[in-house]
Amino acid sequence: MTDTLPDATIRNGVDTTALFATIDAVKADPELGAFRFRATNRWISGTHNRSTVDGFHGAKQDMAHEQPFELHADHPAVLVGRDHAPTPVEYLLHALAACLTAGIANIAAARGVTLTEVSSTVEGDIDLLGILGLSDQVRNGYQQIRVGFTLRGDDPDKLRSVVEQSRQRSAVFDIVTNGVPVSIDVDAG
Amino acid sequence: MTDTLPDATIRNGVDTTALFATIDAVKADPELGAFRFRATNRWISGTHNRSTVDGFHGAKQDMAHEQPFELHADHPAVLVGRDHAPTPVEYLLHALAACLTAGIANIAAARGVTLTEVSSTVEGDIDLLGILGLSDQVRNGYQQIRVGFTLRGDDPDKLRSVVEQSRQRSAVFDIVTNGVPVSIDVDAG
């Protein structure tokens, strides 16, 4: 559908007509906004495992991606794995960069701000003393994460304002900075 | 190196000799445990962007994965994207499942517990009223995440205990449940 819209509604590759229509639709019927995302994972061997991302629930219906996505994870040799794929903590950095960047593109489009480049480096510091059980004073996860964005396009102040708005409305930024309750159930047969 | 070790040190695909040697090495020289992971991301168009995961720092040196990994992200059409790849919030679920599962494999191996199956489903609930800016009462990120594990292998009590220990030592579980400070710098030219 998006390909048949006049070019004027597309900015930064974002279909702004569809974006505003989505906001209006959820505003009119808030139940459309209740989404549930899902991944199923299967252990392969050692630290190597694979998730499948396929269906999700949203807009009052079960939906499917256009194709199922398979995501592998592993540890490098220095962390006693076979390095078949990125580590889980690297996937988390990708999730953070990707969410902020998608938000930047959407918000810029909605504001009529043109982007020519959005690139970023995300780094996280982690001390293995936690994970390895060698210190109760050291947390298991990242101690801090730094994101460095480079943006080119319209006026620099407008670009900075777009990044700030993306930070304020990013799902993954909220999850990573504020935390989420996680329950774990186990079927051990 | 791991392929030349006697089979007796490999359990569940985990090289337990290397695992215990790693713990001993970091115990003897804690600076070996200071790791820094990194992803670089580049916006493509709309909500579609791509991260590269290549090098990291650990064990007092800059290291590289055996190959660079490329990770795409996008939104499905219902969220005004082109569905080229999983969403950022789905990558986060994968990171959580993968980290807990790698921990289960390692801990089971260290305890002499045999696994024949580890599978899981991870679900997260998110209400778009937050992201879309339609309510200040609704958070942007997941409101809760549920992980359901199925394990087969040794005695069920031992399997449950392994999952609990993995939860207590998982980097991504810690990040997602407790949060991490994230700084964002912007170069807007």
Side-chain angles (χ1 to χ4, degrees):
Chain A
M1 185 191 82
T2 53
D3 289 333
T4 66
L5 288 166
D7 283 353
T9 72
I10 309 287
R11 185 185 299 268
N12 306 326
V14 174
D15 180 345
T16 56
T17 300
L19 180 60
F20 289 123
T22 299
I23 294 172
D24 287 343
V26 176
K27 193 172 185 176
D29 183 356
E31 289 181 20
L32 288 170
F35 273 63
R36 175 170 296 173
F37 291 100
R38 183 167 60 246
T40 56
N41 183 280
R42 183 166 286 271
W43 172 60
I44 297 173
S45 178
T47 53
H48 183 201
N49 58 78
R50 179 185 62 240
S51 290
T52 302
V53 171
D54 188 359
F56 59 94
H57 184 89
K60 299 184 181 180
Q61 57 196 294
D62 290 329
M63 309 190 80
H65 284 291
E66 289 185 17
Q67 56 176 308
F69 299 111
E70 291 209 333
L71 306 172
H72 287 253
D74 199 358
H75 288 188
V78 69
L79 296 174
V80 200
R82 302 295 177 94
D83 211 13
H84 289 298
T87 62
V89 290
E90 290 167 322
Y91 273 108
L92 186 127
L93 299 180
H94 164 60
L96 180 61
C99 193
L100 288 166
T101 299
I104 287 168
N106 276 341
I107 292 160
R111 293 183 176 184
V113 173
T114 296
L115 301 171
T116 56
E117 179 191 343
V118 183
S119 58
S120 58
T121 297
V122 189
E123 288 187 336
D125 300 324
I126 199 162
D127 185 337
L128 297 191
L129 295 181
I131 295 174
L132 297 178
L134 296 173
S135 170
D136 287 338
Q137 310 302 311
V138 175
R139 69 178 297 174
N140 298 316
Y142 287 126
Q143 295 172 317
Q144 56 269 319
I145 294 174
R146 292 171 298 281
V147 186
F149 270 108
T150 300
L151 275 79
R152 295 291 180 267
D154 275 355
D155 174 72
D157 286 343
K158 287 184 184 174
L159 298 177
R160 272 188 286 270
S161 171
V162 165
V163 176
E164 172 55 21
Q165 180 66 9
S166 179
R167 186 189 68 75
Q168 288 186 23
R169 288 296 171 201
S170 164
V172 178
F173 183 86
D174 173 27
I175 295 165
V176 171
T177 55
N178 295 317
V180 176
V182 177
S183 67
I184 300 180
D185 285 322
V186 182
D187 168 5
Chain B
M1 186 191 82
T2 54
D3 289 334
T4 66
L5 289 166
D7 283 351
T9 71
I10 309 288
R11 183 185 299 269
N12 305 326
V14 175
D15 180 345
T16 56
T17 300
L19 180 59
F20 288 123
T22 300
I23 295 172
D24 287 344
V26 176
K27 193 172 185 177
D29 184 356
E31 289 182 20
L32 288 169
F35 273 63
R36 176 169 296 174
F37 291 100
R38 183 168 60 247
T40 56
N41 183 279
R42 182 166 286 270
W43 172 60
I44 297 172
S45 178
T47 53
H48 184 201
N49 58 77
R50 178 185 63 239
S51 290
T52 302
V53 171
D54 187 359
F56 58 95
H57 184 89
K60 298 184 182 178
Q61 57 196 292
D62 290 329
M63 308 189 81
H65 284 290
E66 290 186 16
Q67 56 177 309
F69 300 110
E70 292 208 335
L71 306 172
H72 288 251
D74 199 358
H75 288 189
V78 69
L79 295 174
V80 200
R82 303 294 177 96
D83 211 15
H84 289 299
T87 62
V89 290
E90 290 167 322
Y91 273 108
L92 187 126
L93 299 181
H94 164 60
L96 179 60
C99 192
L100 289 166
T101 300
I104 287 168
N106 275 342
I107 292 161
R111 292 182 177 186
V113 173
T114 297
L115 301 170
T116 57
E117 180 191 343
V118 184
S119 58
S120 58
T121 298
V122 189
E123 287 187 338
D125 300 324
I126 200 162
D127 186 337
L128 298 192
L129 294 181
I131 295 174
L132 296 179
L134 296 174
S135 170
D136 288 337
Q137 310 302 311
V138 175
R139 68 178 297 174
N140 298 316
Y142 286 126
Q143 295 172 318
Q144 56 270 319
I145 294 174
R146 292 171 298 282
V147 186
F149 270 110
T150 299
L151 276 79
R152 296 292 180 266
D154 276 356
D155 174 72
D157 287 343
K158 286 184 184 172
L159 298 178
R160 274 189 284 270
S161 172
V162 165
V163 176
E164 172 55 22
Q165 180 66 10
S166 179
R167 187 189 67 74
Q168 289 187 22
R169 288 295 172 204
S170 163
V172 178
F173 183 86
D174 172 28
I175 295 164
V176 171
T177 56
N178 295 317
V180 176
V182 176
S183 67
I184 300 180
D185 285 322
V186 181
D187 167 5

